Amino acid sequence: MKKVVVVDFGGQYTHLISNRIRTLGVFSEVVSPETFDPLSEKNLVGIIFSGGPHSVLETGHPCINFDLHNCPVPILGLCYGHQLLAQLSGGKVETGGKREYGSAEINITEKSRLFDGLGKSQSVWMSHGDHVSELPAGFRITASSPSLSIAAFESDSGKFFGVQFHPEVSHTPNGLKMLDRFLSICTQTREWTTEARRRQIVEKTKHEAMNRNLLLFLSGGVDSLVALAVCIEAVGKERVFSIHVDTGLMREGESEEIVRHISSLGYSNIELADACNLFLGRLAGIYDPEKKREIIGKTFVDVLNEKIAKYSSGTDWMLVQGTIYPDRIESGGSKSSAKIKTHHNRVPEIEKLIAQGRVLEPLCDLYKDEIRELGRELNLPEKLLQRHPFPGPGLGIRILASASSEAEDGYISEEPELDEICKTFSFKSRILPVKSVGVQGDGRTFLHPAALWCEDSNEFSWQKLGDCAVKIVNSLKTVNRVVFSPFARLDTVRLKASDVNQSRADLLRKVDQLVRSMTEDMSEIWQLPVISLPAVDENNNWIFVIRPVTSTNAMTADFFKMPQNRLREILREAIKIPGVGKILYDITSKPPATIEWE
Ligand code: XMP
């Protein structure tokens, strides 16, 4: 089968590129730059250089191990790949001055095979610090943006293409068409189909399982559900055993609902294990987000170890995980990629089982949209496939903790540059004393959010808020996320020492349940985390954040622009819950902020 290879320079979207190529009907694989040699590849029709967290100006930056000029197939460079291609061909790359994260407009400046027929002006997704400042000889500019004169290039030879932005993410609306144009330059054949993918995954699962029993921890989310369906299809339901662990960090009534749903599909090898006290006990006094994830992951394994004896007596076994591409890549899955967060299915105990060949991950090469598609092919009910994703560590990563009520040294709530920007949009602003995770230029950030509110108006414009948020994150190196308080000022919000505990989990469950029930009809919302901050208002009532996002695959996301009347109703109801103070609305895209706060 003809294939396009994606050379992985550690970008967060590397696997997404490969996934997009497959969606367009051409088989694609991700390869490492150290070992890839195009001359020894069979059926190779094209190469894509991925983005990455490094700079081509650093010594020892990731580079290819072959001679560009002997390469027999076309090459497309994206972001870091675009800069590397320019540098290796004799162009110049510069750093600083033109950082851009999020949406930008480019103008097609010259006839280009990549942008053929797409229109003069294109919205694209940028996430970079460096940029190409001088083209190699024999190359020409094909697109510019207001802040970048070389946003895209092509070589006169018709062999090399570079774009500073990310055509692979859904936030570049015509990105797929651009990749499609590149594929048409590479090959006339499209032979990789959904059916081919399903067959491959089921066969691979059968092959890896051999005659072993399969144990699956069922969170109730789409991933573990589809993983279960794949396993049943591959080895039959008698050999597949599921355990749902109630961690005390589930949403209201969710554990019982999961068992009910699964049983209604005619599958009965499922056990509900109550481990609430164990999880909450181990999380007491833990404040670091990464530590929390590690503990939750380890506790899952401890519960698993207890259960294994029961399910494996007299037989050999394997653990099935519903790990998907984003989980893998954001845990620092490739050599050059930065670690954004440790997903609970990549903690050391699981790594040990992986090394022993005891872990089966049928979905580890797929994205959320493909997983839903696969679920459909396996006849799972649409209602289950459309459930919002819910992270394995559950509310454990949505209850932020703080060891102290004093903000750390160096924190200041006022920031003149922030005030300056917000003044032009007529918002009041401050920096919040809590911190959250972000992903910028393919690296992890852990920074304070900026918070905005209006002093004198009950009406606001989402467009204006979104523009303001982009401006803030692009200008302030100390901020990776922006929240908005629609109807309440925030100058009295202060940090409060608190960990993950039963009473905070119970309160979060109530707010989460309320928000969920009041947004059920909004099908555009892809996921809606509700986050409990270790912060209170002037009445000592807790601060919460709601983060409705639109997305297709979790690699990028936009904040959802909720109708204002509905938002007003939600907030009015939420603050009636005893203990609830203010509710903030997250208005940041991903990147720069991740969907979850931790
Ligand atoms: P972020 O916050 O990284 O999340 O933008 C991307 C998607 O992954 C989910 N998520 C997790 N899922 N274990 C999981 O199974 C985890 O540790 C984890 N952390 C984040 C998140 O809810 C979103 O859908």
Side-chain angles (χ1 to χ4, degrees):
M1 199 175 304
K2 298 216 165 25
K3 73 173 171 195
V4 166
V5 152
V6 181
V7 182
D8 179 13
F9 292 110
Q12 295 298 319
Y13 307 135
T14 300
H15 287 274
L16 184 54
I17 305 166
S18 170
N19 170 255
R20 290 287 167 256
I21 300 303
R22 291 184 191 193
T23 308
L24 291 165
V26 176
F27 182 64
S28 172
E29 277 179 341
V30 174
V31 297
S32 117
E34 296 84 23
T35 50
F36 173 65
D37 175 10
L39 295 177
S40 57
E41 290 280 342
K42 272 201 204 121
N43 298 321
L44 185 71
V45 293
I47 299 172
I48 299 182
F49 287 176
S50 82
H54 301 275
S55 163
V56 298
L57 302 169
E58 288 166 13
T59 42
H61 63 84
C63 194
I64 50 170
N65 221 343
F66 63 90
D67 182 0
L68 271 187
H69 302 288
N70 291 337
C71 181
V73 296
I75 301 180
L76 168 64
L78 311 179
C79 198
Y80 176 89
H82 152 95
Q83 294 156 12
L84 185 68
L85 196 54
Q87 191 193 50
L88 291 174
S89 307
K92 245 197 191 153
V93 174
E94 277 178 13
T95 195
K98 293 179 176 171
R99 289 155 36 94
E100 278 180 305
Y101 302 105
S103 203
E105 289 294 315
I106 57 162
N107 269 309
I108 313 300
T109 50
E110 187 167 329
K111 193 162 168 39
S112 140
R113 293 173 76 191
L114 225 46
F115 307 129
D116 193 24
L118 295 184
K120 258 297 284 139
S121 171
Q122 295 291 318
S123 283
V124 299
W125 198 259
M126 296 277 191
S127 183
H128 68 98
D130 295 353
H131 62 277
V132 177
S133 57
E134 219 176 285
L135 281 187
F139 282 51
R140 60 184 198 284
I141 299 174
T142 53
S144 300
S145 80
S147 56
L148 266 188
S149 59
I150 309 177
F153 61 68
E154 276 180 36
S155 68
D156 295 333
S157 65
K159 224 173 112 185
F160 302 123
F161 304 81
V163 298
Q164 179 54 72
F165 55 88
H166 291 277
E168 68 276 23
V169 305
S170 50
H171 290 87
T172 298
N174 277 329
L176 208 59
K177 289 188 183 149
M178 296 170 193
L179 292 175
D180 187 63
R181 303 283 190 278
F182 178 65
L183 290 183
S184 299
I185 296 166
C186 300
T187 174
Q188 298 309 311
T189 332
R190 307 282 167 112
E191 50 197 338
W192 181 247
T193 62
T194 338
E195 173 50 27
R197 190 156 59 215
R198 182 186 98 116
R199 249 185 293 122
Q200 194 216 30
I201 289 169
V202 172
E203 275 311 308
K204 192 164 157 252
T205 305
K206 200 187 236 167
H207 177 76
E208 283 183 28
M210 296 189 286
N211 57 357
R212 294 181 274 198
N213 276 355
L214 300 182
L215 286 189
L216 181 109
F217 274 46
L218 203 64
S219 69
V222 180
D223 309 339
S224 56
L225 211 60
V226 175
L228 173 66
V230 167
C231 291
I232 291 175
E233 172 104 350
V235 305
K237 52 179 147 184
E238 292 70 28
R239 279 175 47 204
V240 186
F241 298 87
S242 303
I243 302 156
H244 171 74
V245 182
D246 184 355
T247 56
L249 301 165
M250 299 299 289
R251 287 179 288 190
E252 193 64 43
E254 192 151 30
S255 291
E256 297 73 22
E257 200 182 305
I258 289 161
V259 175
R260 220 177 32 248
H261 276 316
I262 302 298
S263 310
S264 74
L265 297 176
Y267 170 76
S268 55
N269 282 343
I270 177 163
E271 176 185 340
L272 173 60
D274 179 354
C276 300
N277 291 338
L278 184 64
F279 276 86
L280 287 174
R282 289 190 183 176
L283 286 171
I286 305 295
Y287 305 99
D288 177 61
E290 283 293 289
K291 189 91 196 129
K292 278 161 60 180
R293 277 172 187 274
E294 266 167 43
I295 288 176
I296 295 170
K298 181 174 181 333
T299 308
F300 264 114
V301 176
D302 290 347
V303 176
L304 166 81
N305 282 338
E306 248 180 50
K307 298 286 169 194
I308 279 172
K310 176 173 162 189
Y311 288 98
S312 64
S313 66
T315 59
D316 204 356
W317 59 276
M318 271 190 106
L319 173 69
V320 180
Q321 297 204 118
T323 313
I324 71 174
Y325 251 161
D327 299 349
R328 225 156 44 110
I329 201 69
E330 293 192 350
S331 292
S334 83
K335 195 164 170 254
S336 357
S337 66
K339 179 163 154 178
I340 308 296
K341 327 174 161 168
T342 304
H343 279 263
H344 74 284
N345 38 19
R346 279 290 178 276
V347 294
E349 286 74 14
I350 295 283
E351 299 279 12
K352 244 185 258 161
L353 292 178
I354 293 175
Q356 293 164 10
R358 285 209 180 273
V359 175
L360 211 163
E361 298 183 316
L363 311 178
C364 67
D365 290 335
L366 300 189
Y367 291 88
K368 211 81 193 184
D369 46 345
E370 289 183 301
I371 287 165
R372 290 207 167 107
E373 215 173 85
L374 180 62
R376 255 170 234 129
E377 292 247 331
L378 293 164
N379 296 322
L380 285 173
E382 196 58 32
K383 189 166 179 278
L384 292 187
L385 295 175
Q386 288 307 332
R387 302 187 81 198
H388 284 181
F390 187 61
L395 301 182
I397 54 163
R398 294 183 179 171
I399 301 171
L400 273 53
S402 172
S404 158
S405 295
E406 296 301 318
E408 63 196 43
D409 282 353
Y411 160 80
I412 34 164
S413 63
E414 289 183 8
E415 165 68 65
E417 201 179 344
L418 174 67
D419 284 347
E420 204 52 45
I421 295 168
C422 291
K423 229 189 251 158
T424 62
F425 289 89
S426 313
F427 296 126
K428 292 278 173 195
S429 62
R430 63 167 292 185
I431 303 286
L432 290 181
V434 300
K435 277 184 169 180
S436 82
V437 174
V439 49
Q440 289 168 282
D442 290 309
R444 179 191 200 265
T445 53
F446 190 52
L447 301 170
H448 296 288
L452 316 179
W453 67 98
C454 325
E455 196 105 275
D456 49 5
S457 151
N458 269 349
E459 287 298 316
F460 55 86
S461 141
W462 285 125
Q463 176 70 43
K464 208 164 108 174
L465 280 163
D467 291 349
C468 185
V470 168
K471 188 135 198 220
I472 291 171
V473 179
N474 283 347
S475 314
L476 269 75
K477 285 204 172 129
T478 49
V479 167
N480 60 1
R481 195 183 285 274
V482 184
V483 292
F484 173 59
S485 167
F487 313 113
R489 40 194 299 165
L490 297 176
D491 34 7
T492 56
V493 168
R494 64 187 161 83
L495 202 59
K496 177 167 172 163
S498 46
D499 57 4
V500 179
N501 56 48
Q502 181 83 46
S503 74
R504 287 187 72 199
D506 287 342
L507 189 57
L508 176 55
R509 264 188 279 271
K510 284 188 191 144
V511 181
D512 179 72
Q513 169 67 16
L514 177 95
V515 175
R516 263 206 297 164
S517 66
M518 292 184 78
T519 51
E520 253 169 7
D521 58 327
M522 297 180 168
S523 56
E524 314 95 286
I525 299 179
W526 189 83
Q527 191 176 14
L528 206 172
V530 178
I531 299 107
S532 165
L533 300 186
V536 290
D537 66 5
E538 62 279 16
N539 301 315
N540 211 21
N541 284 328
W542 294 98
I543 311 294
F544 291 83
V545 180
I546 57 179
R547 170 126 174 89
V549 293
T550 57
S551 180
T552 50
N553 47 42
M555 296 304 286
T556 61
D558 240 337
F559 77 92
F560 174 67
K561 289 138 192 105
M562 190 178 288
Q564 293 186 22
N565 281 347
R566 183 70 64 88
L567 180 57
R568 204 182 299 264
E569 278 168 37
I570 292 175
L571 301 196
R572 207 170 28 228
E573 289 306 311
I575 55 172
K576 286 184 192 159
I577 301 173
V580 175
K582 296 181 184 0
I583 311 276
L584 315 180
Y585 198 100
D586 193 326
I587 53 168
T588 336
S589 57
K590 172 184 180 176
T594 48
I595 296 176
E596 306 286 352
W597 273 48
E598 284 192 340

